[in-house]
């Protein structure tokens, strides 16, 4: 009989791509809240194994470890990443560090129209857009496991200077929403 | 002395602003923004190849900068609530953009360096498995939806672009008016332009002229007209 | 730095199928006689992990463990039984109304990355990929005869509003490839 982390490992391996955490919970017959623990145990058991668990809020995928990138490149030359332009990188940073997650927010912080960059990131599979549950007309963007894999990290908390930069961004966004709310009241 | 900054590959106005502020080793605040206003405007004027929409962005920021600048020249100047909100918004956006730019630099250091490869693709075991939601009608509907979504995206930017005057046009216009009429009230001057942004631009272009000694302005009451008259100088200096 | 078994793990994971032991030795820069030891160590480290190392005399491959067969079967069944959903239906629609659409073209029309949807459609036997005779690296997708039969048509001409919708999709692809070509020249 397999332990839940081992069963999760087999499922992730068999799926060959990102698996929604919801689906994983269903297949393992565990609660969604328990998925976190199972993935933590799997992550620990795969430590230094050459393969890692890459996670977003909603999906999880197995990938080769970043330390293996050189040797894997020898096997699969196509693994060379195409460079991202400055605008796309900036847009990716806004979304990664949580400075903004809608098109309007990205435009607000960059001071320019970001639709071309968003499209590039969407087509490359680095971000995905999901309907905001609170407002279905609004699309919120988030990083995919593909983006994390290109950044060589398994979770957004491993982003360079994650706490400092996303903390600062959040404070500014909060000030902005407070100002926007005040403006609305004033009207 | 104007600070020279590279003008080749700017994505947007905030990038220009931050470079100007950093070149002067200043922090993002009113003083710094007032300080770089001229260089910023010069930069915008030097750009001839912005797409229309980006120009609108650049000029809108210029208007807010000139607002801040005017406050530094005339401390008594009272901002309206809306103007105040514009100034605060600009400062917040700049602060946020400063962090984003740092974050983007961090990402550029790691992006693509050590790509974690996906599992190798295996030839899929194919089992013919259609679904309940698959029908010819559903396909037609799906493609229609995709096409409609594209149209919506393509139409958006155009709708947001409103024709705006260039700073240069505003300044030229102002200079000519000052030359032709020895005295002219600001209210009179701004009457011709309905768009608020144009009023700001014209007002602040005026302030620039004041500073350069082209005209002397007196504001008799806080909210009264600003009277403009020629000073001793024989010609109006051309801005820039 | 990765240990040789971890590097072997990453390579086997990335290869997606049997890897000749000779090639593995070469990639790891070890002697062929040492491959055995490395694979033994990897086998041990993957014990009870849900994934196993399967070896023949000349080749080696990663597979899900036999204990995982029930749960992996559940995964496959859930993949096949589910509704296609918005993303896969859209992808299928672009392919159906196009003639020999490539992956890049589907991405262009949809404005997002379609790899996951394409994979789903392939597994479910709704589309098939064929090499472009003009460019062998390029795969062109089309509906399978089973899919056409399921839709109750014998030719894609019979799809609703075939001419209008095909034309619109084609126009987008042409505009996008022109834009992509222009962008490349500009760079």
């Amino acid at each position: 009989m397999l332990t839940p982390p081992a069963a999760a490992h087999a499922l992730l391996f068999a799926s060959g791509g990102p698996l929604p955490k919801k689906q994983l919970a269903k297949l393992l017959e565990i609660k969604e809240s328990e998925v976190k623990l199972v993935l933590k145990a799997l992550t620990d058991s795969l430590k230094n194994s050459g393969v890692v668990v890459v996670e977003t809020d909603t999906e999880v995928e197995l990938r080769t470890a970043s330390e293996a990138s050189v040797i894997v490149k020898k096997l699969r030359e196509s693994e060379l990443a195409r460079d991202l332009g400055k605008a796309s990188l900036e847009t990716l940073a806004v979304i990664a560090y949580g400075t903004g997650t809608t098109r309007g927010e990205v435009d607000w912080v960059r001071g320019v129209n970001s639709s071309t960059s968003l499209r590039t990131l969407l087509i490359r599979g680095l971000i995905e857009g999901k309907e905001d549950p609170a407002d279905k007309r609004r699309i919120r963007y988030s990083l995919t496991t593909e983006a994390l894999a290109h950044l060589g990290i398994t979770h957004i908390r491993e982003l360079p200077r994650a706490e400092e930069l996303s903390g600062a961004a959040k404070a500014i966004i909060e000030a902005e929403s407070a100002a926007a709310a005040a403006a609305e009241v004033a009207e | 002395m104007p600070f020279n900054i590279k003008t080749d590959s700017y994505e947007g106005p905030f990038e220009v602003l931050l470079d100007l502020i950093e070149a002067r080793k200043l922090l993002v605040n009113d003083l710094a923004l007032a300080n770089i206003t001229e260089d910023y405007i010069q930069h915008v004027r030097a750009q001839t190849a912005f797409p229309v929409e980006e120009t609108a962005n650049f000029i809108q920021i210029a208007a807010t900068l000139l607002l801040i600048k005017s406050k530094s020249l005339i401390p008594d100047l009272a901002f309206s609530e809306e103007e105040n909100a514009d100034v605060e918004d600009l400062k917040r956006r700049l602060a946020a953009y400063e962090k984003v730019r740092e974050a983007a630099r961090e990402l550029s250091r790691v992006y693509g360096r050590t790509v974690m490869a996906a599992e190798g693709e295996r030839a899929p075991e194919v089992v013919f498995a259609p679904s309940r939601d698959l029908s010819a009608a559903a396909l037609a509907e799906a493609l229609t939806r995709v096409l409609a979504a594209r149209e919506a995206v393509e139409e958006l930017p155009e709708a947001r672009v409103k024709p705006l005057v260039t700073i240069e046009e505003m300044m030229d216009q102002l200079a000519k008016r000052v030359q032709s009429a020895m005295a002219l009230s600001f209210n009179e001057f701004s009457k011709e332009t309905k768009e608020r942004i144009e009023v700001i631009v014209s007002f602040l272009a005026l302030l620039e002229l004041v500073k350069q000694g082209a005209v002397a302005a007196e504001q008799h009451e806080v909210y009264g007209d600003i009277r403009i008259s020629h000073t001793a100088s024989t010609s109006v200096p051309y801005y820039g």
Side-chain angles (χ1 to χ4, degrees), chain A, chain B:
Chain A
M1 193 45 202
L2 289 175
T3 61
H9 188 203
L11 287 170
L12 290 172
F13 182 83
S15 91
L19 200 64
K21 288 183 176 176
K22 266 191 188 165
Q23 200 187 343
L24 187 62
K26 218 169 152 191
L27 288 163
L28 293 173
E29 293 169 7
I30 59 175
K31 285 185 210 131
E32 277 178 51
S33 56
E34 291 166 329
V35 170
K36 205 175 155 183
L37 283 173
V38 169
L39 291 177
K40 171 83 172 62
L42 177 59
T43 299
D44 289 346
S45 75
L46 288 175
K47 208 171 169 190
N48 300 323
S49 80
V51 169
V52 293
V53 178
V54 179
E55 258 185 89
T56 67
D57 278 353
T58 53
E59 294 192 321
V60 52
E61 184 182 4
L62 293 179
R63 291 268 178 161
T64 58
S66 59
E67 299 93 322
S69 66
V70 175
I71 200 163
V72 170
K73 227 182 258 177
K74 286 203 261 177
L75 177 75
R76 279 167 49 174
E77 276 165 34
S78 63
E79 221 44 57
L80 286 169
R82 275 185 304 160
D83 265 355
L84 271 185
K86 196 159 117 185
S88 299
L89 208 52
E90 217 174 81
T91 302
L92 188 68
V94 174
I95 297 166
Y97 287 87
T99 316
T101 54
T102 64
R103 190 180 123 149
E105 286 168 3
V106 176
D107 287 350
W108 181 81
V109 68
R110 293 191 60 229
V112 286
N113 184 304
S114 304
S115 43
T116 310
S117 308
L118 286 171
R119 185 174 152 82
T120 302
L121 296 172
L122 284 167
I123 285 184
R124 293 221 197 158
L126 297 171
I127 59 169
E128 59 185 346
K130 288 196 188 108
E131 275 175 5
D132 185 339
D135 178 358
K136 297 234 163 168
R137 289 160 308 170
R138 187 178 291 159
I139 303 291
R140 293 204 172 273
Y141 298 101
S142 57
L143 260 57
T144 58
T145 50
E146 176 78 6
L148 296 177
H150 272 81
L151 295 168
I153 59 176
T154 62
H155 194 280
I156 50 163
R157 51 170 182 265
E158 291 167 21
L159 282 168
R161 295 162 65 202
E163 227 167 286
E164 176 203 346
L165 289 173
S166 55
K170 256 176 214 130
I172 293 160
I173 296 294
E174 268 160 33
E176 168 60 19
S177 354
E184 226 159 83
V185 169
E187 278 166 21
Chain B
M1 192 200 99
F3 281 75
N4 288 321
I5 49 170
K6 323 185 292 297
T7 54
D8 50 347
S9 64
Y10 279 104
E11 296 293 347
F14 294 163
E15 210 178 350
V16 177
L17 282 180
L18 278 186
D19 273 4
L20 287 168
I21 291 171
E22 280 171 15
R24 293 176 183 234
K25 300 194 164 46
L26 297 172
L27 298 171
V28 178
N29 55 32
D30 289 357
L31 183 68
L33 291 171
N35 235 307
I36 56 147
T37 302
E38 285 153 302
D39 285 347
Y40 177 82
I41 289 170
Q42 271 195 352
H43 174 83
V44 177
R45 291 179 61 190
Q47 296 295 315
T48 48
F50 286 134
V52 183
E53 188 185 3
E54 301 312 343
T55 307
N57 279 327
F58 272 92
I59 291 183
Q60 245 153 20
I61 305 283
T64 308
L65 281 181
L66 283 166
L67 207 56
I68 295 168
K69 176 99 184 170
S70 71
K71 180 88 174 170
S72 77
L73 293 172
I74 309 176
D76 284 345
L77 178 78
F79 284 167
S80 72
E81 256 180 54
E82 202 184 341
E83 287 164 346
N84 228 336
D86 279 352
V87 171
E88 289 310 310
D89 184 64
L90 175 64
K91 281 193 274 184
R92 268 195 301 272
R93 291 172 78 181
L94 262 185
Y97 181 73
E98 203 178 13
K99 294 296 166 199
V100 162
R101 189 156 83 153
E102 255 180 85
R105 284 178 183 155
E106 293 289 347
L107 292 192
S108 74
R109 271 195 271 278
V110 292
Y111 184 85
R113 291 297 148 85
T114 57
V115 180
M116 298 147 101
E119 192 174 334
E121 276 195 47
R122 288 157 198 269
E125 290 169 47
V126 178
V127 181
F128 180 65
S131 63
R132 288 171 305 171
D133 60 345
L134 174 59
S135 66
L139 286 184
E141 194 188 305
L143 189 56
T144 306
R145 188 169 62 225
V146 169
L147 296 173
R150 277 188 66 93
E151 270 166 30
V153 169
E154 274 161 16
E155 276 166 16
L156 251 176
E158 275 177 51
R160 294 196 313 186
V161 179
K162 40 180 180 176
L164 288 167
V165 287
T166 66
I167 289 177
E168 186 147 35
E169 282 164 359
M170 280 319 304
M171 290 209 163
D172 279 351
Q173 202 183 336
L174 180 66
K176 280 189 195 124
R177 290 299 297 263
V178 173
Q179 267 179 328
S180 64
M182 287 299 282
L184 139 89
S185 86
F186 179 71
N187 272 357
E188 192 181 307
F189 175 74
S190 58
K191 221 176 277 166
E192 288 176 14
T193 52
K194 288 277 179 332
E195 285 277 312
R196 186 179 148 270
I197 185 154
E198 291 182 7
V199 176
I200 295 167
V201 170
S202 56
F203 169 55
L204 292 148
L206 176 64
L207 282 172
E208 284 302 311
L209 291 171
V210 169
K211 191 175 148 251
Q212 288 172 20
V215 288
E218 316 166 55
Q219 193 175 17
H220 296 294
E221 307 147 52
V222 178
Y223 297 104
D225 280 5
I226 300 171
R227 305 294 304 177
I228 300 172
S229 60
H230 235 197
T231 57
S233 44
T234 50
S235 66
V236 175
Y238 188 79
Y239 185 84

